[in-house]
Amino acid sequence: MKNNALEGIKEKAKDVYNKIMKKKAPELDLPLRALSNVKYDNKNGYFEIMGKMKNRTLTVGTIKTFAQTLRMMSLSKQLIETDDIASKREAYYISKNWGEAKFREQPESDTVMDDVEAMMMVNREQLGFIPEEKGGEVAGKLVVIDRDTETKKELRIDCTKFGSGAYSIPISLEHLKFETDAKFILAIETAGMFQRLVKHKYWKTANCILVSMGGVPTRACRRFIRKLADDKKIPVYVFCDNDPYGHMNIYRTLKVGSGNSAHINKYFCVPSAKYLGVTPQDVIDYKLPTHPLKEVDIKRAKDALKNDPFVQHHKEWQKALKQIIEMKVRAEQQALAAWGLNFVIEKYLPDKIKHPEKFLP
Amino acid sequence: MAETPIAVELAKKQREIGVAEFFARNRHLLGFDNKRKALMTTIKEAVDNSLDACEEASVLPEISVEVIDMGNDRFRVIIEDNGPGIVKKQIPHIFARLLYGSKFFKLSQSRGQQGIGISASVLYAQLTTGKPAKIISKISKDHEAHYYELKIDTEKNKPDILKEETITWEKEHGTKIELELEGSYQGGSQSIDQYLKQTAIVNPHVTLIYTNPKAEQLIFARATDQLPPKPEEIKPHPYGVELGILMNMLKFTEARTLQSFLTNEFSRVGPGTAKEICENSSILPNTKPNNINRDMAEQLIQGISKTKIISPPTNCISPIGEELVEKGLRKEINAEFYCATTRPPAVYRGNPFVVEAGIAYGGEQSADDSAKVLRYANRVPLLFQHGACAITKSVLSTAWRSYGLNQSKGSLPIGPVTMVISINSVWVPFTSESKEAIAHYPEIIKEIKLALQEIGRKLSVYVHKKKRIQIEGAKRSYIETYIPHVAEALKELLAYKKEDEEKVKELLAEILEKSRGTLEKIEIDNPDYDEDLANIGKADEDGEKQKTLGEVGE
């Protein structure tokens, strides 16, 4: 698989070289990474990239990025050939040796890295780049089978045995295997809620696996849940704040991917995921305390209604977003604590799980 | 006993004040406020007179100026020309009588106007050193040269002849004046050197030989044998005449009727216009001019202002010319861009005038300094009182920002700029007899501003073009910065050889060059530049600035 990436890089470089030899302005074609370049249908279950390309022809305006893109490709080639890895931050520091072509801030280097990734249509791990962020945490009825990095001997990790702590999802996880008899996976937005459920061993009561996403799920987290759900054929329920950020940026990204990573959504999403709550209707049904909706939230909801192919496909989501815009309020997961600290465990979750058919798609 | 009324006592002290006495006390009015300026003004007056005389006689001027330091702030100044000379009888009056001259009574473009300048210098020399003026003049090779030693009788404003003799002088014709006066010699922007240089720049038909107090000789050789066209003398235009002058004219005219007086003594007045003026003044056209009293004269002035009279003829003005203004700038300044304009003639108070302006931009000039403004009136450089001058006012009130220069409100523009602004007229309205600043006539300011706007527009085209070229240059160097990175990355990616890397760089440069076209170059192309000339009067400028600052504190 890695060799494909390497060949791809060399091929692109060769194209550029040949153009130059023919005295033509060289160009690099990258797929456009945006919501406007993805399509969604229920059968595939994820945001699929369409053919829109961004053309980077060598001109005054583009020569710096052009040079940086080539240098980033060269770095990737070096990493693959030496079987090494570099984090996004490390790649940024490596660029400091490139003289005038160095990146001033890491977001610049991240963007170029994403461009290279999209150009090769592979995920960045295949290019030798690894993300910085944590992959998420797991607790509950699950045994992860990993290998010792030195001895390559099998390691069995029992996710029930971390006490008040949890298992950390590794960045590279294609080699993992799983053993579980859990009924479902519960993906939770906030670390706070995850902690509460771990402390009271909710996974035991409900016979499930708890995953803390800590905000927008990282690629590793998405891939882990996907692999686990696929391998073990267990449903995935998502538990987020009731606001457009929780609905769209967290849940939708987990389920179908994002516009920005359109080229790799296929592997980095969980199409089988369902939205458990908190829903706008929950706010009414459970009389939850609320905060007024912020301007950015309203804008986000309206944008989603207008531009998001996923929302456009699901009437239930259109209804939910319209409802939240009308109510003009948002409610956090922790708002359930207004009815008692363990209300979520004793009442809310059991109630919800009894009626999976009421989950949002 | 009846006391003598005080007025009788006072009357004993009351007497006529001689004009020479008056100026002896008010020397600043004539430009002799301090020693330094006095020396400068003396030379200026003598040179102006010489130039006027030569041009009037159609002689190519060759003027020698010598300044000798006698110690104790005393200087001997000798100015000699090859002009037509002065007839014996007139020599004492010209040099030793104030307000005596030929130019006051005629309207024609000349440097001198009032007949004060040179006699004021003689007076100043006499007041400060007690020494007479020594004059030699000869009118042709068939005549003898006359030598005079003259003083001014300040009470009577009459020449006091100390010595008078005929001598032999090798010159065919010409005049030489020698004065000894108190003065001080300094370099800088208001120096004799600077004045002579600026004179040479706009008078290319003149040869000036200057020996400064350090006994160094500078020669400004003539650049052309072509004399400027001789300005024509014109009669006054009715719009410019004032009551006193009008009454004088009425008194001395040979005309028998008012109508013929008007048609004969004024320009642009034919029988029809004359009749109209008479009608508007309610005076009969056949009234005898001598019979017109003060009240009637005033009526006449009002009648003139009610009558529509066409503008005075303008062929009497001989401007420097766009070409020469630009050439002058080129000699003096190494710049990237030059342009000049000569406005069509205009009229203020019945006097025709022509404004000219030129500009030199960029090159070796500092971009952080205020613009330099060189002012001229009838080809005479104006070095003093720039703040009081209509030229400066016009520069300040022009919006230079729209022409690509920086400018704070009410100040000179900032930028690598030198401007030449020149006014030519049959009667340049100076603010004082020392002729240092031009009066603020709205018509004149308007014309100067129009001239500045004209050169400003041309300047802005250049400034913007230059900016474009600079941006383009910056883009290109930006491209050149990144070409090696593209080549190096490709080398790493494709593992090709060093030669290939060079080839890639070369081709990339070519590809990008092709898409951008050739780059225009900004450079100084100025074969007319004369470095020695440009340096004259510059050497002491820094010292001078400090001195000025010190003076402010005093």
Side-chain angles (χ1 to χ4, degrees), chain A residues 190-211:
Chain A
T190 63
M193 180 55 74
F194 177 75
Q195 280 301 322
R196 167 150 301 276
L197 299 185
V198 170
K199 186 163 172 71
H200 294 275
K201 288 200 175 179
Y202 175 73
W203 48 265
K204 197 173 174 185
T205 341
N207 191 20
C208 68
I209 301 166
L210 303 173
V211 179

PDB file of all heavy atoms in Angstrom, chain A residues 190-211:
ATOM      1  N   THR A 190     -18.220  14.651  25.150  1.00  0.00           N
ATOM      2  CA  THR A 190     -17.343  15.284  26.148  1.00  0.00           C
ATOM      3  C   THR A 190     -16.676  14.268  27.064  1.00  0.00           C
ATOM      4  O   THR A 190     -17.242  13.239  27.419  1.00  0.00           O
ATOM      5  CB  THR A 190     -18.136  16.276  27.024  1.00  0.00           C
ATOM      6  OG1 THR A 190     -19.131  15.555  27.743  1.00  0.00           O
ATOM      7  CG2 THR A 190     -18.791  17.356  26.198  1.00  0.00           C
ATOM      8  N   ALA A 191     -15.448  14.619  27.468  1.00  0.00           N
ATOM      9  CA  ALA A 191     -14.691  13.787  28.390  1.00  0.00           C
ATOM     10  C   ALA A 191     -15.376  13.736  29.751  1.00  0.00           C
ATOM     11  O   ALA A 191     -15.320  12.725  30.460  1.00  0.00           O
ATOM     12  CB  ALA A 191     -13.262  14.318  28.521  1.00  0.00           C
ATOM     13  N   GLY A 192     -16.071  14.807  30.109  1.00  0.00           N
ATOM     14  CA  GLY A 192     -16.759  14.878  31.398  1.00  0.00           C
ATOM     15  C   GLY A 192     -17.838  13.828  31.516  1.00  0.00           C
ATOM     16  O   GLY A 192     -17.915  13.079  32.506  1.00  0.00           O
ATOM     17  N   MET A 193     -18.674  13.734  30.503  1.00  0.00           N
ATOM     18  CA  MET A 193     -19.752  12.739  30.495  1.00  0.00           C
ATOM     19  C   MET A 193     -19.172  11.325  30.468  1.00  0.00           C
ATOM     20  O   MET A 193     -19.643  10.422  31.158  1.00  0.00           O
ATOM     21  CB  MET A 193     -20.665  12.987  29.286  1.00  0.00           C
ATOM     22  CG  MET A 193     -21.826  12.025  29.168  1.00  0.00           C
ATOM     23  SD  MET A 193     -22.853  11.945  30.657  1.00  0.00           S
ATOM     24  CE  MET A 193     -23.744  13.499  30.568  1.00  0.00           C
ATOM     25  N   PHE A 194     -18.102  11.147  29.669  1.00  0.00           N
ATOM     26  CA  PHE A 194     -17.428   9.848  29.586  1.00  0.00           C
ATOM     27  C   PHE A 194     -16.958   9.422  30.977  1.00  0.00           C
ATOM     28  O   PHE A 194     -17.180   8.291  31.406  1.00  0.00           O
ATOM     29  CB  PHE A 194     -16.242   9.966  28.612  1.00  0.00           C
ATOM     30  CG  PHE A 194     -15.404   8.725  28.481  1.00  0.00           C
ATOM     31  CD1 PHE A 194     -15.853   7.621  27.747  1.00  0.00           C
ATOM     32  CD2 PHE A 194     -14.137   8.647  29.084  1.00  0.00           C
ATOM     33  CE1 PHE A 194     -15.061   6.487  27.625  1.00  0.00           C
ATOM     34  CE2 PHE A 194     -13.350   7.510  28.963  1.00  0.00           C
ATOM     35  CZ  PHE A 194     -13.811   6.433  28.220  1.00  0.00           C
ATOM     36  N   GLN A 195     -16.331  10.360  31.702  1.00  0.00           N
ATOM     37  CA  GLN A 195     -15.840  10.091  33.049  1.00  0.00           C
ATOM     38  C   GLN A 195     -16.953   9.605  33.977  1.00  0.00           C
ATOM     39  O   GLN A 195     -16.802   8.651  34.723  1.00  0.00           O
ATOM     40  CB  GLN A 195     -15.202  11.357  33.648  1.00  0.00           C
ATOM     41  CG  GLN A 195     -13.785  11.628  33.174  1.00  0.00           C
ATOM     42  CD  GLN A 195     -12.843  10.486  33.490  1.00  0.00           C
ATOM     43  OE1 GLN A 195     -12.940   9.851  34.550  1.00  0.00           O
ATOM     44  NE2 GLN A 195     -11.956  10.151  32.560  1.00  0.00           N
ATOM     45  N   ARG A 196     -18.086  10.305  33.911  1.00  0.00           N
ATOM     46  CA  ARG A 196     -19.233   9.931  34.769  1.00  0.00           C
ATOM     47  C   ARG A 196     -19.677   8.507  34.479  1.00  0.00           C
ATOM     48  O   ARG A 196     -19.872   7.693  35.380  1.00  0.00           O
ATOM     49  CB  ARG A 196     -20.357  10.943  34.523  1.00  0.00           C
ATOM     50  CG  ARG A 196     -21.712  10.544  35.078  1.00  0.00           C
ATOM     51  CD  ARG A 196     -22.530  11.751  35.456  1.00  0.00           C
ATOM     52  NE  ARG A 196     -21.852  12.577  36.453  1.00  0.00           N
ATOM     53  CZ  ARG A 196     -21.889  12.351  37.770  1.00  0.00           C
ATOM     54  NH1 ARG A 196     -22.596  11.328  38.258  1.00  0.00           N
ATOM     55  NH2 ARG A 196     -21.232  13.106  38.600  1.00  0.00           N
ATOM     56  N   LEU A 197     -19.775   8.201  33.166  1.00  0.00           N
ATOM     57  CA  LEU A 197     -20.263   6.862  32.802  1.00  0.00           C
ATOM     58  C   LEU A 197     -19.250   5.781  33.172  1.00  0.00           C
ATOM     59  O   LEU A 197     -19.615   4.683  33.575  1.00  0.00           O
ATOM     60  CB  LEU A 197     -20.577   6.805  31.298  1.00  0.00           C
ATOM     61  CG  LEU A 197     -21.667   7.783  30.821  1.00  0.00           C
ATOM     62  CD1 LEU A 197     -21.983   7.539  29.341  1.00  0.00           C
ATOM     63  CD2 LEU A 197     -22.945   7.660  31.644  1.00  0.00           C
ATOM     64  N   VAL A 198     -17.956   6.122  33.074  1.00  0.00           N
ATOM     65  CA  VAL A 198     -16.914   5.150  33.445  1.00  0.00           C
ATOM     66  C   VAL A 198     -16.947   4.914  34.952  1.00  0.00           C
ATOM     67  O   VAL A 198     -16.921   3.786  35.443  1.00  0.00           O
ATOM     68  CB  VAL A 198     -15.520   5.633  32.998  1.00  0.00           C
ATOM     69  CG1 VAL A 198     -14.426   4.752  33.611  1.00  0.00           C
ATOM     70  CG2 VAL A 198     -15.413   5.603  31.476  1.00  0.00           C
ATOM     71  N   LYS A 199     -17.037   6.013  35.689  1.00  0.00           N
ATOM     72  CA  LYS A 199     -16.989   5.922  37.139  1.00  0.00           C
ATOM     73  C   LYS A 199     -18.111   5.034  37.669  1.00  0.00           C
ATOM     74  O   LYS A 199     -17.922   4.215  38.575  1.00  0.00           O
ATOM     75  CB  LYS A 199     -17.104   7.328  37.739  1.00  0.00           C
ATOM     76  CG  LYS A 199     -16.930   7.363  39.259  1.00  0.00           C
ATOM     77  CD  LYS A 199     -16.643   8.780  39.720  1.00  0.00           C
ATOM     78  CE  LYS A 199     -16.657   8.875  41.233  1.00  0.00           C
ATOM     79  NZ  LYS A 199     -15.511   8.212  41.855  1.00  0.00           N
ATOM     80  N   HIS A 200     -19.277   5.162  37.074  1.00  0.00           N
ATOM     81  CA  HIS A 200     -20.411   4.349  37.545  1.00  0.00           C
ATOM     82  C   HIS A 200     -20.572   3.077  36.738  1.00  0.00           C
ATOM     83  O   HIS A 200     -21.619   2.442  36.767  1.00  0.00           O
ATOM     84  CB  HIS A 200     -21.685   5.204  37.521  1.00  0.00           C
ATOM     85  CG  HIS A 200     -21.630   6.329  38.513  1.00  0.00           C
ATOM     86  ND1 HIS A 200     -21.985   6.162  39.836  1.00  0.00           N
ATOM     87  CD2 HIS A 200     -21.216   7.617  38.389  1.00  0.00           C
ATOM     88  CE1 HIS A 200     -21.798   7.318  40.475  1.00  0.00           C
ATOM     89  NE2 HIS A 200     -21.322   8.213  39.603  1.00  0.00           N
ATOM     90  N   LYS A 201     -19.496   2.719  36.015  1.00  0.00           N
ATOM     91  CA  LYS A 201     -19.469   1.487  35.222  1.00  0.00           C
ATOM     92  C   LYS A 201     -20.729   1.283  34.415  1.00  0.00           C
ATOM     93  O   LYS A 201     -21.366   0.206  34.408  1.00  0.00           O
ATOM     94  CB  LYS A 201     -19.232   0.275  36.150  1.00  0.00           C
ATOM     95  CG  LYS A 201     -17.812   0.226  36.680  1.00  0.00           C
ATOM     96  CD  LYS A 201     -17.497  -1.182  37.146  1.00  0.00           C
ATOM     97  CE  LYS A 201     -16.045  -1.321  37.574  1.00  0.00           C
ATOM     98  NZ  LYS A 201     -15.735  -2.686  38.059  1.00  0.00           N
ATOM     99  N   TYR A 202     -21.146   2.310  33.730  1.00  0.00           N
ATOM    100  CA  TYR A 202     -22.346   2.219  32.904  1.00  0.00           C
ATOM    101  C   TYR A 202     -22.208   1.121  31.848  1.00  0.00           C
ATOM    102  O   TYR A 202     -23.155   0.453  31.487  1.00  0.00           O
ATOM    103  CB  TYR A 202     -22.634   3.581  32.241  1.00  0.00           C
ATOM    104  CG  TYR A 202     -23.792   3.511  31.280  1.00  0.00           C
ATOM    105  CD1 TYR A 202     -25.113   3.391  31.755  1.00  0.00           C
ATOM    106  CD2 TYR A 202     -23.582   3.533  29.901  1.00  0.00           C
ATOM    107  CE1 TYR A 202     -26.173   3.297  30.876  1.00  0.00           C
ATOM    108  CE2 TYR A 202     -24.646   3.446  29.025  1.00  0.00           C
ATOM    109  CZ  TYR A 202     -25.939   3.334  29.511  1.00  0.00           C
ATOM    110  OH  TYR A 202     -26.994   3.240  28.644  1.00  0.00           O
ATOM    111  N   TRP A 203     -20.916   0.936  31.385  1.00  0.00           N
ATOM    112  CA  TRP A 203     -20.682  -0.093  30.356  1.00  0.00           C
ATOM    113  C   TRP A 203     -21.084  -1.474  30.815  1.00  0.00           C
ATOM    114  O   TRP A 203     -21.457  -2.341  30.058  1.00  0.00           O
ATOM    115  CB  TRP A 203     -19.210  -0.094  29.905  1.00  0.00           C
ATOM    116  CG  TRP A 203     -18.179  -0.091  31.016  1.00  0.00           C
ATOM    117  CD1 TRP A 203     -17.561   0.988  31.533  1.00  0.00           C
ATOM    118  CD2 TRP A 203     -17.671  -1.219  31.735  1.00  0.00           C
ATOM    119  NE1 TRP A 203     -16.693   0.648  32.541  1.00  0.00           N
ATOM    120  CE2 TRP A 203     -16.737  -0.711  32.682  1.00  0.00           C
ATOM    121  CE3 TRP A 203     -17.916  -2.614  31.694  1.00  0.00           C
ATOM    122  CZ2 TRP A 203     -16.043  -1.553  33.569  1.00  0.00           C
ATOM    123  CZ3 TRP A 203     -17.208  -3.433  32.566  1.00  0.00           C
ATOM    124  CH2 TRP A 203     -16.282  -2.880  33.506  1.00  0.00           C
ATOM    125  N   LYS A 204     -21.013  -1.652  32.191  1.00  0.00           N
ATOM    126  CA  LYS A 204     -21.363  -2.952  32.754  1.00  0.00           C
ATOM    127  C   LYS A 204     -22.878  -3.099  32.783  1.00  0.00           C
ATOM    128  O   LYS A 204     -23.444  -4.092  32.302  1.00  0.00           O
ATOM    129  CB  LYS A 204     -20.805  -3.059  34.182  1.00  0.00           C
ATOM    130  CG  LYS A 204     -20.746  -4.475  34.703  1.00  0.00           C
ATOM    131  CD  LYS A 204     -20.025  -4.487  36.032  1.00  0.00           C
ATOM    132  CE  LYS A 204     -20.073  -5.883  36.648  1.00  0.00           C
ATOM    133  NZ  LYS A 204     -19.480  -5.842  38.001  1.00  0.00           N
ATOM    134  N   THR A 205     -23.543  -2.053  33.295  1.00  0.00           N
ATOM    135  CA  THR A 205     -25.004  -2.066  33.361  1.00  0.00           C
ATOM    136  C   THR A 205     -25.616  -2.273  31.982  1.00  0.00           C
ATOM    137  O   THR A 205     -26.547  -3.064  31.798  1.00  0.00           O
ATOM    138  CB  THR A 205     -25.535  -0.709  33.885  1.00  0.00           C
ATOM    139  OG1 THR A 205     -24.488  -0.013  34.564  1.00  0.00           O
ATOM    140  CG2 THR A 205     -26.719  -0.902  34.796  1.00  0.00           C
ATOM    141  N   ALA A 206     -25.072  -1.545  31.000  1.00  0.00           N
ATOM    142  CA  ALA A 206     -25.717  -1.552  29.682  1.00  0.00           C
ATOM    143  C   ALA A 206     -25.064  -2.534  28.732  1.00  0.00           C
ATOM    144  O   ALA A 206     -25.508  -2.666  27.586  1.00  0.00           O
ATOM    145  CB  ALA A 206     -25.672  -0.146  29.091  1.00  0.00           C
ATOM    146  N   ASN A 207     -23.981  -3.172  29.191  1.00  0.00           N
ATOM    147  CA  ASN A 207     -23.233  -4.088  28.337  1.00  0.00           C
ATOM    148  C   ASN A 207     -22.825  -3.406  27.021  1.00  0.00           C
ATOM    149  O   ASN A 207     -23.275  -3.785  25.940  1.00  0.00           O
ATOM    150  CB  ASN A 207     -24.054  -5.362  28.061  1.00  0.00           C
ATOM    151  CG  ASN A 207     -23.171  -6.429  27.401  1.00  0.00           C
ATOM    152  OD1 ASN A 207     -21.934  -6.377  27.494  1.00  0.00           O
ATOM    153  ND2 ASN A 207     -23.819  -7.393  26.733  1.00  0.00           N
ATOM    154  N   CYS A 208     -21.935  -2.413  27.178  1.00  0.00           N
ATOM    155  CA  CYS A 208     -21.553  -1.644  25.969  1.00  0.00           C
ATOM    156  C   CYS A 208     -20.093  -1.224  26.031  1.00  0.00           C
ATOM    157  O   CYS A 208     -19.393  -1.494  26.998  1.00  0.00           O
ATOM    158  CB  CYS A 208     -22.440  -0.417  25.811  1.00  0.00           C
ATOM    159  SG  CYS A 208     -22.156   0.801  27.100  1.00  0.00           S
ATOM    160  N   ILE A 209     -19.651  -0.572  24.940  1.00  0.00           N
ATOM    161  CA  ILE A 209     -18.300  -0.007  24.890  1.00  0.00           C
ATOM    162  C   ILE A 209     -18.456   1.515  24.851  1.00  0.00           C
ATOM    163  O   ILE A 209     -19.233   2.027  24.038  1.00  0.00           O
ATOM    164  CB  ILE A 209     -17.549  -0.479  23.621  1.00  0.00           C
ATOM    165  CG1 ILE A 209     -17.468  -2.014  23.597  1.00  0.00           C
ATOM    166  CG2 ILE A 209     -16.161   0.143  23.550  1.00  0.00           C
ATOM    167  CD1 ILE A 209     -17.069  -2.575  22.249  1.00  0.00           C
ATOM    168  N   LEU A 210     -17.727   2.189  25.744  1.00  0.00           N
ATOM    169  CA  LEU A 210     -17.797   3.657  25.765  1.00  0.00           C
ATOM    170  C   LEU A 210     -16.578   4.222  25.055  1.00  0.00           C
ATOM    171  O   LEU A 210     -15.453   3.801  25.297  1.00  0.00           O
ATOM    172  CB  LEU A 210     -17.822   4.166  27.209  1.00  0.00           C
ATOM    173  CG  LEU A 210     -18.955   3.643  28.102  1.00  0.00           C
ATOM    174  CD1 LEU A 210     -18.730   4.095  29.539  1.00  0.00           C
ATOM    175  CD2 LEU A 210     -20.296   4.136  27.580  1.00  0.00           C
ATOM    176  N   VAL A 211     -16.835   5.205  24.144  1.00  0.00           N
ATOM    177  CA  VAL A 211     -15.721   5.887  23.469  1.00  0.00           C
ATOM    178  C   VAL A 211     -15.857   7.380  23.694  1.00  0.00           C
ATOM    179  O   VAL A 211     -16.918   7.958  23.415  1.00  0.00           O
ATOM    180  CB  VAL A 211     -15.705   5.587  21.951  1.00  0.00           C
ATOM    181  CG1 VAL A 211     -14.545   6.324  21.281  1.00  0.00           C
ATOM    182  CG2 VAL A 211     -15.606   4.091  21.700  1.00  0.00           C
TER     183      VAL A 211
END
